[in-house]
Amino acid sequence: MTTTGLGLPTSDIDLFSDEVLADPYPYYRRLQDMGPLVELPQYGVVALARYAQVTDALTDWETFSSADGVGLNDILNQAFQGTIIASDPPYHDQLRAVLAERLAPRSLRTLRADITERADRHVEDLVARGSFDAVTELARAVPVAIVLDLLGFPAEGRDRLLEWAEGFGNVNGPANERMQGSLPVVEELFGWLTTTCTRERMVPGGFATTIHEAAERGDIPEEAVVPLMSSYALPAMETTISAIGSAVQLFMENPDQWEAVRADHSLIPGAFNEVLRMESPVQVFTRVTHRPYSAEGVSIPENVRVVVLYGAANRDERRYPDPDRFDVRRENVDHVAFGLGTHSCPGQGLTRLEAHAVLEALARRVDRWEPAGEPRRRIMNITRALDSLPVVVH
Ligand code: HEM
């Protein structure tokens, strides 16, 4: 541990190396133990790995601004400037208002029966087979079936959305090979949104139509339409897929916890929070300080890019005792997997609806999980997800 110009502890842990991305938790612990603010000179950023600093950053946008982008490379930060995730109030709130009503609990209630039925039918078919891949055949199928219809994109090109959504897990990272490799994928998505997802081609009643209508009324500028459509399409897929895959993995590894949920379905909402706490689908975004910030006697000036480590905060032993233990009865409602404050995830109600429906359907039919092969992880810069999880169900 050495110190640099900022007078902070510094670390040479490379958060974006294959090794760290495969299992970041021991590295997060090391950063947490070094102090509340740790410089990572390799990326020219300061890491916030403790729960207290992560929540400070997420709940104070005037100090920790998103307006300079929330990624780790200039290309993306410039390209995404002024999008919902990369803007501050008041403009941010104007964008956020467009779909607020459609994602509010009242609107989601009307979707519950349909989502439950779709999830149930899908799970019934898979379980009847006795073995399946919990990522490719379960986790990926549900959001595709549900979210794409809700968004109301035209059929043409929909099959590419999954691949494009995977790109989202990489492009916000540092300008490494993974990031460069995903850039063309994201460019393709923007091309599709601009040329194919025009007002006339949208499925009536979908979120995308609501976005076009907001621009027609003058609530948002016309040029905000495509970025806003992408902001809802991309994170809606990969994150939910990640969470459902991790849920099956964690339950398979912790049979007593599955037994508890099977015996009492009212534990499902808490259990899903515990999945998100343990394996946060979004591991990192960034902010830039627009004012100085201090914590426990150390400080950073304005104009410093900080890395907000959601997945580290959720496993901080200062907040969660025995943080690596998967415990469906744990007090965990304050986890930060959906962020907090101004930018907290507007899709969390929808995600919960989907995930609870899947877990309920599984809890009714699966007594026991067994691995049917080695799980495979997909290594991505920003998001954490499995690629394949073969299971046998009894
Ligand atoms: C397990 C599922 C999900 C997780 C873990 C997740 C996670 C997150 C996180 C951590 C943020 C905060 C970013 C920040 O602090 O800057 C966020 C923002 C966002 N999420 Fe999600 N998300 C999920 C599902 C969804 C879904 C289903 C949708 C769309 C329906 C969605 C749309 C968005 C949008 C538009 C933002 C930007 C909000 C803003 O900047 O005001 N997410 N999400």
Side-chain angles (χ1 to χ4, degrees):
M1 197 169 91
T2 53
T3 48
T4 70
L6 286 175
L8 300 173
T10 71
S11 168
D12 58 5
I13 292 174
D14 180 356
L15 287 176
F16 304 96
S17 66
D18 287 10
E19 185 193 341
V20 175
L21 290 170
D23 180 15
Y25 304 112
Y27 300 95
Y28 290 161
R29 181 73 43 83
R30 275 166 53 190
L31 292 175
Q32 285 165 343
D33 290 345
M34 288 174 76
L37 301 168
V38 178
E39 207 174 339
L40 306 179
Q42 182 179 0
Y43 294 111
V45 295
V46 168
L48 311 184
R50 291 187 185 176
Y51 184 86
Q53 279 64 56
V54 166
T55 53
D56 278 357
L58 294 177
T59 51
D60 177 3
W61 64 265
E62 284 166 300
T63 304
F64 294 95
S65 166
S66 296
D68 303 301
V70 294
L72 278 118
N73 69 83
D74 292 342
I75 303 174
L76 240 278
N77 285 339
Q78 270 160 26
F80 275 52
Q81 231 169 30
T83 58
I84 185 169
I85 201 163
S87 54
D88 287 337
Y91 182 59
H92 163 269
D93 300 354
Q94 212 179 318
L95 296 173
R96 178 96 178 198
V98 173
L99 287 177
E101 182 58 37
R102 306 236 23 204
L103 286 163
R106 197 173 15 160
S107 313
L108 293 179
R109 269 197 292 277
T110 64
L111 302 174
R112 185 186 300 272
D114 180 50
I115 290 180
T116 307
E117 198 198 312
R118 286 186 198 213
D120 201 62
R121 230 181 305 134
H122 191 75
V123 166
E124 186 175 29
D125 289 348
L126 286 180
V127 172
R129 280 171 32 194
S131 72
F132 55 90
D133 192 307
V135 174
T136 58
E137 294 180 290
L138 174 68
R140 282 199 194 132
V142 173
V144 170
I146 293 166
V147 178
L148 288 187
D149 280 353
L150 271 183
L151 289 167
F153 287 141
E156 182 195 337
R158 273 191 187 195
D159 51 339
R160 302 292 315 283
L161 260 177
L162 257 188
E163 189 189 330
W164 291 330
E166 284 163 28
F168 160 81
N170 283 325
V171 287
N172 280 297
N176 56 15
E177 258 177 49
R178 265 187 293 276
M179 179 266 169
Q180 308 279 2
S182 293
L183 267 185
V185 176
V186 175
E187 277 164 19
E188 231 187 298
L189 164 74
F190 274 78
W192 179 72
L193 288 171
T194 311
T195 54
T196 309
C197 296
T198 51
R199 174 80 169 87
E200 328 67 71
R201 294 212 211 156
M202 292 301 167
V203 179
F207 287 7
T209 300
T210 305
I211 294 174
H212 277 289
E213 285 168 355
E216 280 161 16
R217 277 195 309 272
D219 292 352
I220 56 167
E222 189 58 43
E223 58 274 17
V225 168
V226 165
L228 201 51
M229 288 196 292
S230 80
S231 301
Y232 281 88
L234 295 187
M237 312 280 290
E238 192 59 26
T239 50
T240 309
I241 294 168
S242 156
I244 295 174
S246 296
V248 173
Q249 186 178 41
L250 285 163
F251 281 121
M252 188 154 59
E253 289 169 357
N254 297 275
D256 59 323
Q257 299 299 304
W258 182 243
E259 193 46 50
V261 163
R262 250 177 27 85
D264 179 1
H265 291 195
S266 73
L267 292 175
I268 286 175
F272 186 57
N273 277 331
E274 184 67 352
V275 168
L276 295 169
R277 186 191 71 77
M278 287 287 290
E279 292 289 9
S280 307
V282 174
Q283 291 281 311
V284 40
F285 274 129
T286 69
R287 299 287 192 266
V288 172
T289 52
H290 281 191
R291 297 196 294 216
Y293 170 74
S294 305
E296 296 176 30
V298 285
S299 36
I300 44 175
E302 59 189 75
N303 215 18
V304 170
R305 190 168 287 279
V306 299
V307 175
V308 181
L309 295 166
Y310 305 82
N314 282 334
R315 293 217 195 186
D316 184 358
E317 61 193 355
R318 291 157 195 79
R319 174 63 197 87
Y320 301 105
D322 197 4
D324 299 331
R325 189 164 55 86
F326 178 62
D327 175 2
V328 298
R329 293 193 174 85
R330 183 193 287 275
E331 276 180 33
N332 56 17
V333 285
D334 59 356
H335 71 76
V336 295
F338 286 121
L340 283 177
T342 313
H343 292 276
S344 70
C345 179
Q348 55 186 291
L350 177 61
T351 303
R352 288 184 204 282
L353 207 54
E354 292 177 59
H356 295 176
V358 169
L359 290 175
E360 284 253 9
L362 290 168
R364 272 200 299 277
R365 297 185 175 88
V366 176
D367 293 346
R368 230 162 19 88
W369 299 95
E370 253 179 52
E374 277 299 303
R376 206 173 51 242
R377 183 159 291 287
R378 173 175 298 161
I379 302 293
M380 289 178 289
N381 281 332
I382 297 295
T383 45
R384 180 162 172 79
L386 290 164
D387 211 17
S388 165
L389 182 65
V391 297
V392 175
V393 287
H394 299 280

